[in-house]
Amino acid sequence: MNDETRETGATVETVWVLGDQLNEQIASLKGREPGTFRVLFVESRAKVGGRRWHRQRVHLVLAAMRRFAADLRTAGHLVDYRVASSLRQGVADHRLEHSPTEMFAMEPMSFAGLEMLRSLDVTLVRSNQFLCHYDEFAEWVEGRKAFKMEDFYRWQRRRLDFLMDGENPAGGRWNFDHDNREPPPKDGREWHRPPTIALDDLDAAVMADVEQWGDLVGEPPSGHWPTSRAEALMRLDDFISQAIDAFGPYEDAMLHGEWKLAHSAISSSLNIGLIHPGEVCEAIEEAYRQGRAPLASAEGMLRQIIGWREYVWGLYWLWMPEYRTLNSLGAERALPPALADGKTHMRCVADVVSRIDSHAYVHHIERLMILGNLALLAEISPQAMTGWMWERFVDGAEWVMVPNVVGMALYADGGRMATKPYAGGGRYINKMSNFCKECRYNPTKRTGEDACPYTTLYWDFLARNEATLRPNHRLGNQLGSMRKLKDLTETRARAAEVLNLLDAGDL
Ligand SMILES: Cc1cc2nc3c(=O)[nH]c(=O)nc-3n(C[C@H](O)[C@H](O)[C@H](O)COP(=O)(O)OP(=O)(O)OC[C@H]3O[C@@H](n4cnc5c(N)ncnc54)[C@H](O)[C@@H]3O)c2cc1C
Ligand code: SF4
């Protein structure tokens, strides 16, 4: 396109970039010459107002969209950035004003998004945002009677050639999980905190807009989350140079008041496209080869990226849309008040909920073994729990929430994803954290007013679901121990009280 055409706004093709595709290398933009087509962004007020989002989550997406659009303009792209009542309206307005010859978009990250793009007659470009496209995942699954993450992970490692020495895994082992399950260290160490990101006028403008458009929750942004590619790359670099050593051994550890320990806090950047999973894997590989990261930590992190993350992505597309509605244990409890306001005597829950408020984030084990475990044991509705987490986590997205909440944490898929429920009592939490010492409840007790609610509910959960869980051989020992409890009747009576207190916001 010549300069004249550029100025007169002649009719050209449009590439619509969605809010979780914020990278110049996405398949729909890659290789296109700036100025020869138009790039469309739509900010939807309906999306912001549609749920009670955490402020930091809404800010992340809109600030990142506005910054990316500005970067594209600087690079010579023709950008049409719109704020509209809805995505559909934004596209209609764009079509009216610019009459694009054809409209393209990269395949979206959600099932509903795919249906919408199809209905809007947008030409889809195959996604390159994951290392394994969901079609390839479906091919991998085909013909297998049963499959699990570990098989997929090894297949990924071989074909992508990360941490491999020829045909064999580096160090001769595929899995360092055994070395990576340490309780928190007792040396009183300072945990590395990534540098805070300075907020500017663009951030202030985003916040001013979204406060008008939605009924939001949580503390406003204070520089925890990268909203540009440059910031996201710095976050990755900071993790690799400062925290990866401790990531492996302490990935399951929890400490009161510590927001990320040695976790990477890169999920929000990955999930909106600021960085690509391939870049993370290359950084891990390089750190290991140069002796800057121990193998157990490098392997532990690689497993999260090419294993769990890509597995969850594949499962979402394989099993949707039914998957999000599953509720195999018939769990119908509404969200308890403790999750809304963090006002509870359960010290672990109070701390985790307060950090969601301040950071829109808690790490994996806190999501799984504090929040998910409570919901599993107390029979909170999987759909209510998915919605609650989706609104509050900075990295929330349906594709990652549904398998992790419905499948992994709440066993609502009857064991399709996890081979057994991730149910644990207070002893597990006490071993892996420092929450219990100053808690009103005692993790070793299952009866009485000071019994830990997790411990009481754990035994009650096994008794309540015995018939459903009996065929699962991996639960044989736990069910056997439950049957031998001399105080099972008392424990179950206390469980009923605990659930009443939970509902009343008095636990
Ligand atoms: C109940 C529950 C809800 C979750 N909700 C989300 C969510 O909304 N968004 C989200 O991105 N992740 C979610 N996860 C997965 C995981 O907890 C987060 O990705 C991780 O805590 C993000 O923090 P981090 O970047 O510091 O991760 P790290 O611990 O440093 O791990 C590195 C990366 O691995 C990937 N990863 C690790 N485990 C998983 C997993 N199970 N599924 C997908 N990716 C994984 C993430 O991209 C993460 O950034 C959830 C897990 C559970 C059990
Ligand atoms: S005793 Fe129970 S409720 Fe209290 S912090 Fe420990 S696990 Fe949480």
Side-chain angles (χ1 to χ4, degrees), residues 201-486:
D201 292 348
L202 184 149
D203 300 294
V206 167
M207 286 316 295
D209 287 343
V210 297
E211 292 292 356
Q212 283 179 36
W213 301 343
D215 179 16
L216 308 174
V217 297
E219 289 183 16
S222 54
H224 303 306
W225 302 111
T227 57
S228 70
R229 178 162 163 76
E231 290 165 2
L233 288 172
M234 280 195 283
R235 170 63 55 87
L236 173 60
D237 192 51
D238 183 72
F239 167 70
I240 297 283
S241 60
Q242 306 294 328
I244 196 172
D245 278 22
F247 171 80
Y250 302 118
E251 65 182 295
D252 285 7
M254 300 173 274
L255 282 175
H256 190 269
E258 280 294 339
W259 79 274
K260 67 176 247 347
L261 299 172
H263 288 266
S264 63
I266 57 167
S267 48
S268 65
S269 302
L270 279 167
N271 292 359
I272 60 170
L274 298 179
I275 48 173
H276 190 272
E279 293 175 298
V280 179
C281 298
E282 278 158 21
I284 296 168
E285 175 90 31
E286 194 182 281
Y288 165 65
R289 297 289 171 201
Q290 294 178 354
R292 291 184 286 119
L295 183 55
S297 284
E299 190 282 317
M301 186 65 182
L302 187 72
R303 168 179 295 271
Q304 309 308 314
I305 303 292
I306 63 168
W308 280 113
R309 185 169 190 270
E310 304 254 330
Y311 190 64
V312 156
W313 169 247
L315 291 183
Y316 172 80
W317 289 100
L318 194 67
W319 289 338
M320 277 290 278
E322 296 77 21
Y323 199 60
R324 68 177 155 213
T325 66
L326 297 182
N327 190 356
S328 75
L329 298 177
E332 298 295 350
R333 171 161 276 101
L335 289 169
L339 293 185
D341 57 17
K343 289 197 185 110
T344 165
H345 302 295
M346 291 184 283
R347 191 164 180 258
C348 52
V349 176
D351 184 45
V352 162
V353 172
S354 95
R355 280 189 276 118
I356 294 178
D357 195 55
S358 60
H359 290 74
Y361 170 96
V362 288
H363 73 66
H364 184 69
I365 291 301
E366 295 167 332
R367 296 182 199 205
L368 186 63
M369 296 311 294
I370 304 292
L371 299 169
N373 191 17
L374 179 68
L376 173 72
L377 300 181
E379 291 188 346
I380 297 173
S381 145
Q383 285 66 41
M385 202 62 193
T386 306
W388 180 79
M389 288 189 169
W390 189 0
E391 288 165 6
R392 276 161 179 79
F393 290 153
V394 69
D395 52 18
E398 191 186 54
W399 66 266
V400 64
M401 277 283 147
V402 168
N404 272 303
V405 183
V406 172
M408 189 187 285
L410 299 197
Y411 203 68
D413 64 354
R416 277 160 89 175
M417 182 178 174
T419 48
K420 66 173 190 170
Y422 280 95
R427 274 180 202 274
Y428 171 83
I429 297 172
N430 190 29
K431 181 177 155 214
M432 297 310 294
S433 77
N434 65 352
F435 291 134
C436 303
K437 249 193 199 153
E438 292 173 39
C439 182
R440 165 199 275 213
Y441 300 112
N442 180 339
T444 63
K445 290 189 70 178
R446 57 183 169 261
T447 59
E449 283 190 2
D450 62 343
C452 166
Y454 283 93
T455 308
T456 308
L457 291 176
Y458 170 74
W459 295 113
D460 184 55
F461 168 81
L462 292 177
R464 213 186 308 140
N465 294 293
E466 188 180 4
T468 315
L469 301 177
R470 199 178 300 132
N472 187 330
H473 300 300
R474 294 197 65 208
L475 288 170
N477 288 343
Q478 281 108 309
L479 290 172
S481 306
M482 180 273 295
R483 284 185 210 111
K484 281 191 215 139
L485 288 183
K486 293 211 170 62

Side-chain angles (χ1 to χ4, degrees), residues 41 104 156 183 419 459:
F41 291 86
F104 295 87
Q156 285 268 82
T419 48
W459 295 113

